[in-house]
Amino acid sequence: MPFAPATALLAPLAPWFDARRRPMPWRAGDLDAPHPDPYAVLVSEIMLQQTQVATVIPYFTRWMERFPDAEALAAATEDEVHGLWAGLGYYRRARNLQAAARAIAGAGFPRTLEGLLELPGLGPYTAAAVAAQAFQLPTPALDGNAFRVAARVLALEGDPRRHAAALRDWLAPALAAHGPSRLTQAVMELGATVCTPVPRCASCPLLGACAARARGLQERIPPVQPRAKVTEAEIHLAAIRSPRGWLLCPPASRGLLAGLWSWPRAEAAPELEGAAEAASGYGLEARELPGWVQVYSHRRETVRPIVARMASAPGAQGLEWVPGERLPELPMGRRDQKLRAALDAPGTPLTGAGLAALRTILDEGVSANPRS
Ligand code: SF4
């Protein structure tokens, strides 16, 4: 079925965006010219993958102060990169961004969609979004927001991703007509603020043109995807100090948490027989801090933090004693940063289960870490 032409349908979006757009530090003032800093557009788009604008803004600002261009990022150490990204999650994005910066520092910023697609970490959406905003190329960028807006305006039933190629062909002339950067950002902005999963049609500039709204289908398009199952876990997270420093898990070289240091941990388990005696054998003084629930995309972790001091510094398989003065600069994920910030907080005497967790960590080392 041919779609009604996007150029006319989406025309009200351009003046709406010009009047209503939210200020963001990466947005250019002139929406009709190429962006003065394509690197800033690239950084913002990678940070915005799976992360909300309000969370990204302070990270973006700090990042641009420390790495103002691709050359500065290309020359940074992995620890510096992870340190500035720490807390933003999905750390592979930071590694990809640095790999992209190294490619750009060597060969220049690619100015075509094909060239952008060759940069590490840029899929079809990000490459198209950068091409449109940085270089004014009419390359449709379809993310969840854009698919939702397009599916509703056209009353497309079923999963709109099945129509990705047709929707790109449909959108491209509208981008060319209304300005690629302007219309790309306008669609994103509408999807983020008005045409949200529960749409606010009364405030929508496309109210008169929207086929889903005309047929009363706006709440059913697109169909809600079933959520991935969330697993629950309860862990002890232990900050153990000895005269040799803090006991830490060194960063993995691959995987989601590559490049990040973490505290050793053990799954919460019933009290182990003899744990208290073993603790006194190590000369342990320990307290339990108030816990919290750490939420990840597919996991909810109840964290029971422990701070312990030991008179001796036994070896623990796969763990390292790190001198105290290095602790503040180590890149860590959000959960581990939270314990690092609370090391001096008051706590309560450790229970038998906490002592059992410490003993498991000291006996088993890194292999006590629960899988996450
Ligand atoms: S009228 Fe409603 S459903 Fe249609 S685009 Fe606007 S907010 Fe979305």
Side-chain angles (χ1 to χ4, degrees):
M1 181 185 73
F3 300 145
T7 304
L9 269 183
L10 302 183
L13 264 186
W16 172 82
F17 184 67
D18 284 345
R20 302 283 175 87
R21 64 184 171 144
R22 296 172 293 170
M24 294 178 196
W26 50 85
R27 280 188 165 161
D30 184 352
L31 290 176
D32 296 306
H35 196 289
D37 188 356
Y39 166 75
V41 177
L42 174 66
V43 172
S44 69
E45 282 299 332
I46 301 267
M47 286 188 170
L48 286 164
Q49 292 169 358
Q50 288 142 322
T51 309
Q52 304 222 332
V53 167
T55 306
V56 165
I57 287 176
Y59 279 90
F60 175 86
T61 305
R62 283 195 294 273
W63 188 274
M64 295 301 287
E65 279 166 14
R66 172 62 191 85
F67 308 125
D69 51 35
E71 288 70 22
L73 177 55
T77 65
E78 199 175 305
D79 273 3
E80 278 181 291
V81 170
H82 280 117
L84 269 188
W85 198 275
L88 204 49
Y90 300 99
Y91 292 88
R92 187 175 300 147
R93 296 181 297 172
R95 293 190 290 283
N96 282 336
L97 185 51
Q98 188 177 36
R102 287 182 173 150
I104 292 164
F109 210 111
R111 287 170 182 268
T112 61
L113 183 63
E114 295 70 29
L116 286 161
L117 278 166
E118 284 177 17
L119 292 177
L122 269 69
Y125 164 77
T126 307
V130 172
Q133 293 172 83
F135 304 119
Q136 298 286 2
L137 299 180
T139 48
L142 293 173
D143 67 347
N145 282 337
F147 273 119
R148 184 169 59 249
V149 170
R152 285 175 172 168
V153 168
L154 297 169
L156 269 185
E157 298 195 48
D159 183 355
R161 289 167 203 277
R162 287 186 298 132
H163 305 284
L167 288 174
R168 283 195 194 97
D169 291 346
W170 173 73
L171 256 180
L175 293 174
H178 302 300
S181 179
R182 174 183 291 105
L183 203 71
T184 297
Q185 294 183 68
V187 171
M188 292 177 189
E189 189 94 341
L190 190 79
T193 60
V194 177
C195 195
T196 44
V198 177
R200 299 191 293 143
C201 301
S203 323
C204 181
L206 302 181
L207 182 60
C210 178
R213 164 77 186 190
R215 292 163 53 188
L217 296 175
Q218 67 275 15
E219 304 262 354
R220 289 179 26 209
I221 293 179
V224 178
Q225 301 289 332
R227 280 190 172 267
K229 194 162 173 278
V230 173
T231 58
E232 301 271 350
E234 183 177 351
I235 63 158
H236 290 280
L237 189 65
I240 305 172
R241 179 155 210 180
S242 81
R244 289 174 61 196
W246 293 97
L247 191 62
L248 287 159
C249 304
S253 57
R254 292 166 39 179
L256 274 182
L257 299 178
L260 299 176
W261 291 79
S262 59
W263 300 108
R265 51 206 179 273
E267 216 132 23
E271 184 173 350
L272 277 185
E273 211 176 306
E277 292 73 22
S280 69
Y282 283 126
L284 257 176
E285 272 172 46
R287 66 190 193 283
E288 184 163 346
L289 305 186
W292 68 87
V293 175
Q294 192 76 35
V295 180
Y296 303 94
S297 53
H298 299 116
R299 181 176 163 91
R300 275 170 57 88
E301 223 172 50
T302 301
V303 180
R304 299 179 62 180
I306 296 170
V307 179
R309 187 177 283 272
M310 298 178 67
S312 62
Q317 189 223 344
L319 303 179
E320 274 182 31
W321 290 103
V322 176
E325 62 273 17
R326 281 192 61 205
L327 184 67
E329 77 209 25
L330 296 179
M332 287 181 148
R334 206 176 303 182
R335 176 195 64 199
D336 297 75
Q337 284 180 49
K338 194 161 176 172
L339 176 52
R340 177 168 59 187
L343 291 175
D344 296 325
T348 52
L350 210 54
T351 61
L355 285 168
L358 281 182
R359 181 174 152 189
T360 303
I361 288 167
L362 293 167
D363 285 352
E364 298 178 18
V366 78
S367 51
N369 285 350
R371 287 182 174 277
S372 50

